[in-house]
Amino acid sequence: MEVELKEMLADLQSLKQSLPDPSHRDSLDKLESRLEHLTNLAKAVPVRRSKVKDMSVEVVDSNPYSRLMALQRMGIVENYERIREFSVAIVGIGGVGSVAAEMLTRCGIGRLLLYDYDKVELANMNRLFFRPDQVGMTKTDAAVQTLSDINPDVVLESYTLNITTVQGFDTFMSSLENKSFRPSKQGSGVDLVLSCVDNYEARMAVNQACNELGQTWLESGVSEDAVSGHIQLLIPGETACFACAPPLVVASGVDERTLKREGVCAASLPTTMGVVAGLLVQNTLKFLLGFGQVSPYLGYNSLKDFFPTMQMKPNPQCSNAACLERQKEYILAKPARDAAAKAKLEAEAPEEGPLHDDNEWNISVVDDSGLVDGFDSKSSDALPEGLTRELPNADEFCKLPTEAPTTDSDDLEELQRQLEAINSA
Amino acid sequence: MEVELKEMLADLQSLKQSLPDPSHRDSLDKLESRLEHLTNLAKAVPVRRSKVKDMSVEVVDSNPYSRLMALQRMGIVENYERIREFSVAIVGIGGVGSVAAEMLTRCGIGRLLLYDYDKVELANMNRLFFRPDQVGMTKTDAAVQTLSDINPDVVLESYTLNITTVQGFDTFMSSLENKSFRPSKQGSGVDLVLSCVDNYEARMAVNQACNELGQTWLESGVSEDAVSGHIQLLIPGETACFACAPPLVVASGVDERTLKREGVCAASLPTTMGVVAGLLVQNTLKFLLGFGQVSPYLGYNSLKDFFPTMQMKPNPQCSNAACLERQKEYILAKPARDAAAKAKLEAEAPEEGPLHDDNEWNISVVDDSGLVDGFDSKSSDALPEGLTRELPNADEFCKLPTEAPTTDSDDLEELQRQLEAINSA
């Protein structure tokens, strides 16, 4: 608006000079002073924060990242600035999703993909984030407006669509697959999907997309009575998917859509949604930046301040075909995963040499470097004299099923020899 | 701005009519169209949400309270609209206090009192609430600006002062005592104080004020490494006050002020602060509106998503004189409290009459109406045959010390008789 006012002032001044009649001077002067006043008003509209090229650790009031980079000095995060490489997709920009988006924006996340088709209403004002002056805008537009003001360093992609429609789902899938932000990235184009939707259908759409892409995601939800919520980590093939254990309402055959009638409004609180968004993004940061432990499932019962946790394995009878595929891949990849875990353990093993230089009591420790898995896998001599194994050890046992389908008689004989060797050890 | 533009348009149109020379028409037309364009731009600048007289349960998009009033229909809160009667003081409008203020504002709290002396900096942008365009404003001014836009129904009082100075503390005390908002209120003028400060000195000032006023408060804090936090309920005389159990750093004799050096910046995260603010305001709502259980202490360890709880009794050797006074009052008020609890229990007792109309197994329940405290206090017949009491029961025991200081020889003999009667029962 400042630019328009300046142009207008220039027009007015040239008009003033071209007018020969001094009788209109007064009116024109009055117009000019009004215009100057308006220009000053428009100038009072604040300027935006400028982009920052690198995250600085400098402790000055003008550094928007100083308190985040301090996580490195405090020994919590190894390399905070890596956050700029990550892309997070947030599906549903309501009471939880909008706050999650604001938190990630203030943390300086690299890229946010935002999905919603709803508009901001006054009835949303009991939750954080949206302002009354945004009523009528789409939630995605309003979010981009607020978030880009807060932190212009974040790349924002806004998708005003319903992921449960055929076309919406297609666009959702291709946006997740797009790797233009970080072409070198393995897998899909995003590092994590956060589901912040309020209905079963949309959750099943996120579940389908993530199962197809092998994409890890975090699901979140708040109860209709507003006083409890949860977050859940879903790694396709490794943990239960959303279809592995259907919610009770679906299991009992009731169509969930009939439960959300027009005029029947669920309760909601900014507190419960703020807590759930905070737990969701905290686990997102732990997942992305590799600190602490990511919770597989965390509930929040606000009436008693009770936080239940649990873990859910995938259901081998899951109705979702993509989930079954991911489960198969996960099982097939077990030997490689075990080898990697073992290599990591060995790399992290403490340096040789005594921990205490003086050994007043002559305490010595028995060498157990060959006992990583609880059993010695290299030589049978490690078993104490007089003891034999009744069963093959865990590693041997796991190899059997994968070898079994290809066995012919020779292999069976070889297997027989191996088992006898183990039993006679 | 819209008004100014309209006036200017009127001026311009009258000028246009008074100009006889058509050669200047073009310039004037151009000016006019520019002005109309500006007026449209200004119209796009949103209007504020208007005040709402009563909280409506009506489920329409334009009702900012529909999702909160739904808490009644869901059976969580008995009378949500009572929230408009309550005053909450928030000390410290930083990462936790500002979010707590926004949550309470969106919940439609009656009155908020905000205390801070700091200014908004870009270095605060890694936490929720403040915007880059507010940099340089005092936190109290910036908060009032944002909160009054969000909900004009809330009465906001802003105190730009440091409560640890003599004058600041006096103003703090008198603002808490002021009852102009609800003259009929018992005790102080506020219903709850939320401490959201970041240092020991300020916590001790809040503690002192609340002990003097007998004012219940909720304390909150976030660790310097940004990954844990807590909230704690403090009821003077009933629970430990902040001086009853001094933090470790003070107990060991280190001056805490030396720990906060210039240039040494603590880490902070919007997630941890959002969770702590959410837990703090959720417990505030439970306390004010009487639902669920208010947690005496709730910790948040974000690395493991662990939430420790505990309870702390007041320290009879507390160094705070006002705390000791409140402890004395609390003990003296025990009989009245017990009587009230008993009356409440009796009032809530279920209606007489069988729960099950048919009694197939002839099960009967022994009358225990005289056993409210675990012992029959009316007649000694209630004890099963063959059992005697070794000690007087809890009620008798409590009466003894308060009677003791006034005893003369007659009273002592009477006391002796009472004890013998009890022992021989």
Side-chain angles (χ1 to χ4, degrees):
Chain A
M1 184 169 264
E2 213 182 323
V3 178
E4 281 95 345
L5 284 167
K6 272 190 187 154
E7 285 172 1
M8 207 170 147
L9 195 63
D11 285 356
L12 192 67
Q13 279 158 349
S14 70
L15 176 69
K16 209 163 107 178
Q17 281 168 359
S18 68
L19 270 182
D21 186 356
S23 70
H24 299 293
R25 252 318 136 78
D26 277 359
S27 310
L28 282 169
D29 282 349
K30 196 175 154 198
L31 266 175
E32 195 177 354
S33 75
R34 271 191 192 281
L35 207 50
E36 274 163 357
H37 172 66
L38 277 174
T39 310
N40 285 333
L41 271 183
K43 265 186 193 153
V45 173
V47 287
R48 296 177 49 157
R49 120 143 154 71
S50 52
K51 289 198 184 194
V52 172
K53 194 167 168 286
D54 297 302
M55 285 188 174
S56 156
V57 295
E58 206 188 352
V59 182
V60 287
D61 291 340
S62 58
N63 178 4
Y65 295 119
S66 61
R67 266 48 166 184
L68 296 163
M69 293 301 277
L71 288 164
Q72 293 182 188
R73 203 178 42 252
M74 295 277 173
I76 302 294
V77 177
E78 214 175 305
N79 178 1
Y80 188 83
E81 203 164 357
R82 274 192 69 204
I83 201 163
R84 294 195 144 185
E85 293 169 18
F86 298 122
S87 296
V88 174
I90 304 182
V91 189
I93 313 299
V96 172
S98 64
V99 181
E102 179 171 352
M103 287 174 171
L104 285 169
T105 296
R106 290 183 183 266
C107 284
I109 192 83
R111 184 173 70 133
L112 277 185
L113 296 81
L114 308 172
Y115 306 82
D116 207 303
Y117 62 96
D118 223 356
K119 283 189 174 172
V120 179
E121 306 287 358
L122 267 187
N124 306 138
M125 291 307 130
N126 69 321
R127 281 149 278 178
L128 298 180
F129 194 74
F130 292 117
R131 304 184 306 264
D133 61 67
Q134 294 177 319
V135 166
M137 292 174 77
T138 62
K139 288 185 176 173
T140 44
D141 283 352
V144 167
Q145 180 190 62
T146 302
L147 299 176
S148 59
D149 274 350
I150 289 172
N151 189 347
D153 297 332
V154 178
V155 176
L156 297 168
E157 285 178 25
S158 153
Y159 298 91
T160 313
L161 52 82
N162 180 348
I163 64 160
T164 66
T165 64
V166 174
Q167 210 198 321
F169 187 79
D170 283 348
T171 312
F172 179 47
M173 282 291 284
S174 56
S175 65
L176 294 180
E177 286 172 302
N178 182 349
K179 286 199 204 182
S180 55
F181 182 70
R182 187 154 55 107
S184 64
K185 191 187 166 300
Q186 297 267 309
S188 84
V190 302
D191 296 277
L192 197 64
V193 173
L194 304 183
S195 165
C196 306
V197 298
D198 64 354
N199 65 85
Y200 176 75
E201 239 180 326
R203 283 186 177 90
M204 285 301 268
V206 176
N207 190 58
Q208 182 63 37
C210 290
N211 276 345
E212 285 184 25
L213 296 169
Q215 173 64 55
T216 298
W217 59 295
L218 274 166
E219 135 76 3
S220 69
V222 172
S223 65
E224 289 218 333
D225 65 5
V227 287
S228 53
H230 74 274
I231 62 168
Q232 183 179 348
L233 175 70
L234 297 102
I235 309 174
E238 189 176 339
T239 70
C241 90
F242 198 74
C244 281
L248 211 62
V249 62
V250 181
S252 68
V254 179
D255 183 349
E256 193 234 20
R257 279 165 296 183
T258 63
L259 291 175
K260 292 227 172 197
R261 292 184 300 276
E262 278 303 310
V264 175
C265 113
S268 59
L269 280 167
T271 44
T272 312
M273 289 186 154
V275 169
V276 169
L279 298 175
L280 182 70
V281 177
Q282 195 83 291
N283 277 280
T284 299
L285 295 176
K286 290 192 279 184
F287 176 84
L288 296 175
L289 297 169
F291 67 97
Q293 293 165 12
V294 181
S295 288
Y297 177 98
L298 178 63
Y300 168 44
N301 171 335
S302 78
L303 294 183
K304 299 190 172 189
D305 282 337
F306 173 60
F307 300 82
T309 54
M310 62 167 177
Q311 252 176 313
M312 280 198 285
K313 294 238 158 120
N315 177 359
Q317 272 94 47
C318 180
S319 62
N320 187 292
C323 173
L324 295 178
E325 292 243 346
R326 296 295 92 73
Q327 289 188 44
K328 211 181 291 170
E329 287 167 12
Y330 185 74
I331 291 164
L332 286 174
K334 190 178 184 298
R337 214 161 39 239
D338 288 350
K342 195 176 166 187
K344 196 177 168 233
L345 256 185
E346 279 168 359
E348 283 171 0
E351 296 274 323
E352 300 234 359
L355 185 62
H356 302 279
D357 283 340
D358 52 343
N359 188 0
E360 202 184 342
W361 305 97
N362 285 316
I363 295 169
S364 69
V365 178
V366 173
D367 179 26
D368 62 357
S369 60
L371 286 161
V372 171
D373 294 321
F375 290 100
D376 188 307
S377 51
K378 285 170 201 155
S379 82
S380 52
D381 297 340
L383 266 193
E385 237 181 324
L387 289 185
T388 58
R389 288 200 186 89
E390 274 216 67
L391 290 170
N393 78 33
D395 281 353
E396 297 294 330
F397 198 73
C398 288
K399 279 179 206 152
L400 300 182
T402 50
E403 283 172 18
T406 60
T407 48
D408 53 21
S409 57
D410 280 3
D411 284 338
L412 276 175
E413 279 164 27
E414 168 62 25
L415 200 63
Q416 185 75 23
R417 268 195 302 278
Q418 281 180 17
L419 275 170
E420 277 162 9
I422 290 164
N423 283 328
S424 66
Chain B
M1 184 169 266
E2 211 182 328
V3 178
E4 283 95 342
L5 284 167
K6 271 191 186 154
E7 285 172 3
M8 207 171 146
L9 196 62
D11 286 355
L12 191 68
Q13 279 158 349
S14 70
L15 176 69
K16 210 163 108 177
Q17 280 168 358
S18 67
L19 270 182
D21 186 356
S23 70
H24 299 292
R25 255 311 142 80
D26 276 1
S27 308
L28 282 168
D29 283 349
K30 197 176 154 197
L31 265 175
E32 195 178 352
S33 75
R34 270 191 192 282
L35 207 50
E36 274 163 357
H37 172 66
L38 277 174
T39 311
N40 285 334
L41 271 182
K43 264 186 196 155
V45 173
V47 287
R48 294 178 51 159
R49 120 146 154 68
S50 53
K51 290 197 184 195
V52 173
K53 194 167 168 288
D54 297 302
M55 285 189 175
S56 155
V57 295
E58 204 189 352
V59 182
V60 288
D61 290 339
S62 58
N63 178 2
Y65 296 118
S66 60
R67 264 51 167 184
L68 295 164
M69 294 299 278
L71 288 164
Q72 293 182 188
R73 202 179 43 250
M74 295 277 172
I76 302 294
V77 177
E78 213 175 306
N79 179 2
Y80 188 83
E81 204 165 358
R82 276 193 67 205
I83 200 162
R84 292 194 148 188
E85 293 171 18
F86 298 122
S87 296
V88 174
I90 304 182
V91 189
I93 313 299
V96 172
S98 62
V99 180
E102 178 170 351
M103 286 173 171
L104 285 169
T105 297
R106 291 183 182 267
C107 283
I109 192 83
R111 183 174 69 132
L112 277 186
L113 297 81
L114 308 172
Y115 306 83
D116 207 303
Y117 61 95
D118 222 358
K119 284 190 171 169
V120 180
E121 307 287 358
L122 267 187
N124 306 138
M125 292 307 129
N126 68 321
R127 282 150 276 178
L128 298 180
F129 192 74
F130 292 116
R131 303 184 306 264
D133 62 69
Q134 294 176 318
V135 166
M137 291 174 80
T138 62
K139 287 185 177 175
T140 44
D141 283 353
V144 168
Q145 181 190 63
T146 302
L147 298 176
S148 59
D149 274 350
I150 289 172
N151 190 347
D153 297 333
V154 178
V155 176
L156 297 168
E157 285 178 26
S158 152
Y159 298 91
T160 312
L161 53 81
N162 180 349
I163 62 161
T164 66
T165 64
V166 174
Q167 210 199 319
F169 186 79
D170 283 348
T171 312
F172 179 45
M173 282 290 285
S174 56
S175 65
L176 294 180
E177 285 172 303
N178 183 350
K179 287 198 203 181
S180 55
F181 182 71
R182 188 154 54 108
S184 64
K185 192 187 166 300
Q186 298 267 309
S188 84
V190 302
D191 296 277
L192 196 64
V193 174
L194 305 183
S195 166
C196 306
V197 298
D198 63 354
N199 65 85
Y200 177 74
E201 239 179 326
R203 281 187 179 89
M204 285 302 266
V206 176
N207 189 59
Q208 183 62 37
C210 290
N211 276 345
E212 286 183 24
L213 297 170
Q215 173 64 56
T216 298
W217 59 295
L218 274 166
E219 135 77 3
S220 69
V222 172
S223 65
E224 289 219 332
D225 64 4
V227 287
S228 53
H230 74 274
I231 62 167
Q232 183 180 348
L233 176 71
L234 295 102
I235 309 173
E238 188 176 337
T239 70
C241 89
F242 199 73
C244 281
L248 211 61
V249 63
V250 181
S252 66
V254 178
D255 182 351
E256 192 233 23
R257 279 165 296 184
T258 63
L259 290 175
K260 291 228 168 193
R261 292 184 300 275
E262 278 302 311
V264 175
C265 114
S268 60
L269 281 168
T271 44
T272 312
M273 291 185 153
V275 169
V276 169
L279 298 175
L280 182 71
V281 177
Q282 195 82 290
N283 277 280
T284 299
L285 296 175
K286 290 192 280 183
F287 176 83
L288 296 175
L289 298 170
F291 66 96
Q293 293 164 15
V294 181
S295 287
Y297 177 98
L298 179 63
Y300 168 43
N301 171 335
S302 78
L303 295 183
K304 297 187 172 188
D305 281 335
F306 172 60
F307 300 82
T309 55
M310 62 167 176
Q311 249 174 318
M312 281 197 285
K313 293 237 158 120
N315 177 1
Q317 272 94 44
C318 180
S319 61
N320 188 291
C323 174
L324 295 179
E325 292 243 349
R326 296 297 91 75
Q327 289 188 43
K328 213 181 290 171
E329 288 167 11
Y330 185 73
I331 291 165
L332 286 174
K334 191 181 182 300
R337 216 164 35 242
D338 288 350
K342 196 176 164 186
K344 197 180 168 230
L345 256 184
E346 279 168 2
E348 284 172 359
E351 296 275 325
E352 301 232 1
L355 185 63
H356 302 277
D357 283 339
D358 52 343
N359 187 1
E360 199 184 345
W361 306 96
N362 285 316
I363 295 168
S364 69
V365 178
V366 174
D367 178 25
D368 62 356
S369 61
L371 285 162
V372 170
D373 294 321
F375 290 100
D376 188 308
S377 51
K378 285 169 204 156
S379 81
S380 53
D381 297 339
L383 265 192
E385 234 182 326
L387 289 185
T388 57
R389 288 201 185 89
E390 274 216 65
L391 290 170
N393 78 34
D395 280 352
E396 297 293 329
F397 198 73
C398 286
K399 279 179 207 153
L400 300 182
T402 52
E403 282 170 18
T406 62
T407 48
D408 53 22
S409 60
D410 279 3
D411 285 340
L412 274 175
E413 278 164 27
E414 169 60 24
L415 199 63
Q416 186 75 24
R417 271 194 299 279
Q418 282 181 14
L419 274 171
E420 277 163 9
I422 290 165
N423 282 328
S424 67

